[in-house]
Amino acid sequence: MNTSNKIQLPNTSKKVSGDPTIKTGTNYTIFDPSARPDKFFKPSLIGAKLLKGRKKIIIWDPHFSPDKDHEFFSFVDQEDAHIEILTTFNNNNGICKSQVETLADNICEVLNKNIETYTLLMQGIKYDEMTDLRSYRIFLWHDRFMILDDDFYLMGTSMSSQLTGNKLFGIYKVEDPTDKDIIGELYQKYSQFSQNKKNGFTLKRE
């Protein structure tokens, strides 16, 4: 095979804090477990570490682990932090409403170790193709987002996978104002769905 015309990609990324598994460019940070020199599992916390120093934290993630994801919030260190989580649930097959409530309680336990005052708003949308939300294609909701103060991020995997998974993924910082508007508008749209008692619920912890 002729490889003389093979495209040569520039390598301008930088390793983070000497960790060979994490490389960062201008707007993109990637976790590559294959670069680890040993075979021992070490979770990637590149998403969780972004929570340090933030007062407004919004996480829009359709998948979560009620027994694990609370550890993601151990990096929250600002008093009067306002945290919103938008996720999905299904009482018939999958994560149920009570597990979302368990996640909220577990997050509060973690937050109480680091700060005294905060607001946590949990928002759930029923994940069911046969509900009235079918026209909004909730069952095809895939991407994960974080809005931290005025910074917007697209996450390649969920909170639970960042804590327990061992697969390559990246986090992209969205900077274009139009792109940020699109994400913000869609978040508000689905956040309003959670307030519909038929297909969603909200709960607040302080």
Side-chain angles (χ1 to χ4, degrees):
M1 182 177 66
N2 185 358
T3 60
S4 60
N5 295 324
K6 184 177 179 180
I7 297 175
Q8 298 297 319
L9 298 177
N11 184 8
T12 58
S13 64
K14 298 179 180 179
K15 296 178 182 178
V16 177
S17 301
D19 187 342
T21 65
I22 300 176
K23 291 187 177 182
T24 184
T26 303
N27 289 337
Y28 188 64
T29 298
I30 194 166
F31 169 68
D32 178 13
S34 70
R36 186 176 295 118
D38 55 56
K39 301 299 181 181
F40 296 102
F41 172 73
K42 179 183 178 182
S44 168
L45 299 174
I46 57 176
K49 290 178 179 178
L50 290 172
L51 305 185
K52 295 184 67 174
R54 309 289 188 155
K55 297 202 71 170
K56 183 180 77 173
I57 299 169
I58 295 174
I59 297 180
W60 175 9
D61 188 337
H63 306 290
F64 69 92
S65 169
D67 299 324
K68 187 70 177 178
D69 283 1
H70 55 279
E71 298 177 15
F72 200 83
F73 297 88
S74 61
F75 290 91
V76 177
D77 58 1
Q78 295 297 300
E79 294 291 343
D80 300 315
H82 177 76
I83 302 168
E84 297 182 13
I85 298 176
L86 177 61
T87 189
T88 58
F89 73 98
N90 186 333
N91 289 330
N92 298 319
N93 182 22
I95 301 300
C96 64
K97 178 180 176 181
S98 64
Q99 289 177 299
V100 179
E101 295 172 339
T102 297
L103 175 62
D105 293 336
N106 291 340
I107 291 174
C108 288
E109 285 188 19
V110 172
L111 293 174
N112 290 335
K113 296 178 181 178
N114 298 325
I115 57 178
E116 295 182 356
T117 56
Y118 59 85
T119 302
L120 172 64
L121 179 64
M122 298 291 298
Q123 306 164 97
I125 300 177
K126 190 175 182 181
Y127 185 95
D128 190 340
E129 293 184 9
M130 304 310 294
T131 68
D132 293 341
L133 289 177
R134 184 173 184 178
S135 61
Y136 296 104
R137 302 169 71 87
I138 294 295
F139 56 101
L140 294 182
W141 177 15
H142 175 274
D143 286 358
R144 295 88 162 164
F145 303 91
M146 287 198 304
I147 302 174
L148 307 177
D149 295 335
D150 296 323
D151 294 331
F152 286 57
Y153 298 88
L154 173 63
M155 297 191 294
T157 192
S158 295
M159 293 182 288
S160 55
S161 294
Q162 293 185 44
L163 292 167
T164 63
N166 200 20
K167 295 181 180 180
L168 183 149
F169 76 93
I171 295 180
Y172 179 78
K173 185 177 182 181
V174 180
E175 292 194 334
D176 183 86
T178 303
D179 297 339
K180 293 167 74 171
D181 286 344
I182 291 173
I183 295 172
E185 290 171 3
L186 285 173
Y187 174 76
Q188 292 299 327
K189 171 184 175 180
Y190 287 110
S191 178
Q192 290 178 5
F193 287 160
S194 71
Q195 300 174 28
N196 183 332
K197 293 183 178 180
K198 179 179 179 181
N199 295 313
F201 78 95
T202 62
L203 62 90
K204 190 175 182 179
R205 298 280 192 271
E206 294 180 304

